[in-house]
Amino acid sequence: MKKKALSLILAGAMVLSMSACGGSKEAETTAAATEAATTAAAAEETSAEADTTEAAADGQTYNVGICQLVQHDALDAATKGFKDALVEELGDAVTFDEQNAQGDSNTCSTIINSFVSSGVDLILANATPALQAAQAGTNEIPILGTSVTEYGVALGIDGFDGTVGGNISGTSDLAPLDEQAAMLNELFPDAKNVGLLYCSAEANSQYQVDTVKAALEELGYTCQYYAFSDSNDLSTIATKAASESDVIYVPTDNTVAANTEIVNNICQPEGVPVIAGEEGICAGCGVATLSISYYDLGVGTGKMAAKILTGEADISEMPIEYAPQFTKKYNASIAEALGVTIPDDYVAIEE
């Protein structure tokens, strides 16, 4: 800016020196031109200072706390998508305090309390127990949930209309549960008994198996709940389910997602296929799934966060957002081992 202003001034001075012998009228014209150039230069300097002041004002930094319930592929992908989107929107202005609760809801509460004490600008609660802990921990700091299936169930909201209000919003990983039931029927039309394997401590898992059970019973299947309390009794309950079921359905359950090897080591030798609620579980122990991209879900959550942090949006007015598309996917190795024929419109999960 300064170089351009100096050039304008010098240009005016050169015009003055070249026109000095042209008479008073030419001198007056030249003087006016010089004054105009000087005024323009001053205006540009003022504009540059204003731009600098505005840039300084926009130089605010943001600290975002991330509480992830447990480490597994789906939640990891959602967290990565969230961070990537926020960095793309805000660059170096955003920093993250990322913590993992290792599957323990009490640890989620401890993590959230530390975020509140340190005064983070926004909290990402990745999975239902993390969201519930955040809801209990603060009603002031903006909270975005992700990898949460049904917010009304998770937060105890009767007649949930799609917007939580207050300081909470986020994204849902809810897939069309009736279509997951239809997928099971498409692949295993001759099966009779379906075991519903899930963690009873996860409210959204209960919601999913209840919904799928109703859909499957309309299709003529007999369904049985197989609920375990935590990873310690997963093996015992999965063994019982495999011995009594023709097919097993597992929702987007975080405990199963973190322990798919246990389920696969029981179900595959028994010849019992698993229909999974999401791709990560299917990759570990399932035959097929109707799933979303958890990375894309995280990206959507990150874009919401950017709008909240910059004041572009009011979180209390932001409705829960859902995945835009779902894909039929299958586990080629398990399908082959169990002799399951997969239709052509399914996409193989990359190993």
Side-chain angles (χ1 to χ4, degrees):
M1 290 289 188
K2 291 183 178 179
K3 289 183 178 179
K4 186 173 181 181
L6 181 60
S7 297
L8 289 170
I9 295 171
L10 291 175
M14 289 176 65
V15 171
L16 178 62
S17 62
M18 292 174 63
S19 306
C21 59
S24 60
K25 187 175 291 186
E26 291 182 3
E28 289 174 3
T29 302
T30 302
T34 303
E35 183 178 355
T38 303
T39 301
E44 288 199 32
E45 287 290 339
T46 301
S47 176
E49 290 176 2
D51 289 343
T52 301
T53 301
E54 184 177 352
D58 289 341
Q60 182 176 352
T61 58
Y62 309 97
N63 188 23
V64 174
I66 298 175
C67 178
Q68 181 174 318
L69 173 63
V70 67
Q71 184 175 3
H72 63 69
D73 290 347
L75 300 190
D76 291 350
T79 293
K80 186 175 188 308
F82 175 80
K83 293 171 65 177
D84 287 351
L86 257 185
V87 169
E88 183 175 346
E89 295 284 339
L90 302 177
D92 294 337
V94 62
T95 58
F96 301 100
D97 183 354
E98 183 178 349
Q99 298 191 41
N100 193 297
Q102 304 300 325
D104 183 57
S105 57
N106 291 327
T107 303
C108 285
S109 298
T110 301
I111 292 170
I112 295 298
N113 290 337
S114 72
F115 291 160
V116 174
S117 297
S118 63
V120 298
D121 298 297
L122 183 141
I123 294 171
L124 174 71
N126 192 349
T128 299
L131 178 65
Q132 292 169 331
Q135 179 194 36
T138 177
N139 59 7
E140 296 180 358
I141 298 172
I143 299 165
L144 286 176
T146 193
S147 312
V148 176
T149 304
E150 221 292 323
Y151 280 73
V153 172
L155 300 177
I157 303 172
D158 293 331
F160 180 61
D161 64 0
T163 301
V164 177
N167 64 322
I168 299 175
S169 188
T171 57
S172 168
D173 62 357
L174 180 63
L177 298 174
D178 57 338
E179 293 183 29
Q180 290 187 350
M183 169 183 283
L184 188 150
N185 181 241
E186 177 184 33
L187 295 176
F188 307 105
D190 298 327
K192 297 187 181 338
N193 300 310
V194 177
L196 306 169
L197 181 66
Y198 68 102
C199 180
S200 58
E202 298 188 31
N204 277 316
S205 292
Q206 184 72 62
Y207 169 80
Q208 290 174 80
V209 294
D210 287 345
T211 306
V212 168
K213 180 176 183 287
L216 288 173
E217 287 177 343
E218 287 187 5
L219 294 170
Y221 293 94
T222 298
C223 298
Q224 178 65 42
Y225 291 120
Y226 293 93
F228 56 90
S229 57
D230 55 36
S231 59
N232 294 322
D233 63 342
L234 171 58
S235 178
T236 301
I237 300 301
T239 299
K240 181 174 174 60
S243 67
E244 299 175 350
S245 308
D246 301 316
V247 183
I248 289 175
Y249 172 78
V250 177
T252 56
D253 187 282
N254 291 295
T255 308
V256 174
N259 296 276
T260 56
E261 186 176 358
I262 292 175
V263 176
N264 189 53
N265 287 343
I266 292 168
C267 292
Q268 189 170 330
E270 286 289 327
V272 179
V274 174
I275 296 296
E278 58 92 10
E279 182 177 338
I281 296 174
C282 189
C285 64
V287 168
T289 183
L290 180 66
S291 187
I292 66 170
S293 165
Y294 276 81
Y295 178 84
D296 291 345
L297 194 71
V299 168
T301 317
K303 290 180 178 179
M304 293 175 73
K307 291 179 181 179
I308 294 165
L309 291 171
T310 59
E312 183 180 344
D314 181 351
I315 190 171
S316 68
E317 299 175 354
M318 299 176 79
I320 301 303
E321 296 186 7
Y322 294 83
Q325 64 183 22
F326 306 90
T327 305
K328 289 182 175 181
K329 293 194 172 185
Y330 73 100
N331 185 321
S333 60
I334 293 181
E336 181 179 359
L338 297 179
V340 179
T341 301
I342 302 296
D344 292 338
D345 59 337
Y346 284 65
V347 177
I349 297 172
E350 296 181 5
E351 296 183 4

